[in-house]
Amino acid sequence: MKKIDVTTKATVFDNVSQLSTEDAFLIQKAIEARQKAYAPYSKFNVGAAVLLDNGQVVLGNNQESAAYPSGMCAERVAIWKAGSEYPNMKVLKIAITAASENSTVDKPVGPCGACRQTLSEYEINQKQPIEILFTGEVGQIVKTESLLSLLPFSFDSSYL
Ligand code: THU
């Protein structure tokens, strides 16, 4: 028996002005997507912006329904929209932002587990890391260099 450390590397930025122009632009697009979210039940609005290697930016936001489990997260709306419209394009990055109508979200909001699993499919298939940027409504922005760095011991098709 041995214990191992599983570590993740991330960069934490204090505000958008510390980001590269491209990253700041993608966060801005995620904010625009967030402002169109349909989240009347949770009142937690999430936006995601996916940058493809053809330069296209594909947006998504969370979509809820009165039957609560039938909703969908912003990240999966965005990545599936990208995958369906541009099936052969590599995904370079995804920016995510969240804001609540109940309080100010001042902590970075990382993608949920199901969204990480979904994004990992794209990262593995394209054999190129997807950069992940996530933030709240205000405050810090976290950036990781790959999706799999957010998903240690992940499940993939090699187990099937
Ligand atoms: N949500 C996302 O859109 N992305 C996440 O990664 C976490 C949660 C949405 C789902 C639901 O509409 C609302 O936020 C509250 O959970």
Side-chain angles (χ1 to χ4, degrees):
M1 193 272 279
K2 68 171 177 180
K3 289 193 175 171
I4 58 167
D5 287 327
V6 180
T7 56
T8 291
K9 284 200 174 69
T11 309
V12 180
F13 299 90
D14 289 327
N15 53 60
V16 186
S17 70
Q18 296 178 345
L19 297 176
S20 68
T21 310
E22 186 175 77
D23 288 358
F25 170 76
L26 207 59
I27 290 280
Q28 183 52 42
K29 298 309 280 182
I31 292 169
E32 289 171 28
R34 190 190 78 206
Q35 288 165 343
K36 297 179 190 161
Y38 178 66
Y41 303 102
S42 72
K43 305 202 182 301
F44 193 77
N45 300 310
V46 186
V50 170
L51 176 65
L52 303 177
D53 73 353
N54 64 356
Q56 285 279 343
V57 175
V58 181
L59 306 182
N61 47 38
N62 52 329
Q63 298 290 318
E64 297 184 348
S65 88
Y68 297 157
S70 302
M72 186 46 63
C73 291
E75 297 91 323
R76 275 176 286 168
V77 170
I79 195 75
W80 284 335
K81 195 167 148 196
S84 61
E85 283 187 39
Y86 306 97
N88 301 314
M89 278 305 144
K90 287 186 176 168
V91 176
L92 301 182
K93 350 184 144 180
I94 181 169
I96 303 151
T97 172
S100 171
E101 290 166 39
N102 298 323
S103 60
T104 303
V105 178
D106 57 4
K107 289 183 294 197
V109 177
C112 80
C115 288
R116 292 179 201 207
Q117 184 67 40
T118 301
L119 290 164
S120 79
E121 185 82 14
Y122 288 77
E123 182 169 284
I124 291 164
N125 284 348
Q126 70 182 25
K127 299 184 178 66
Q128 185 177 309
I130 300 174
E131 293 178 8
I132 317 289
L133 290 136
F134 55 91
T135 187
E137 182 180 6
V138 295
Q140 294 175 322
I141 302 122
V142 174
K143 180 175 183 176
T144 65
E145 298 304 320
S146 75
L147 184 280
L148 288 175
S149 66
L150 287 176
L151 200 61
F153 301 112
S154 61
F155 182 80
D156 61 48
S157 61
S158 68
Y159 296 105
L160 298 175

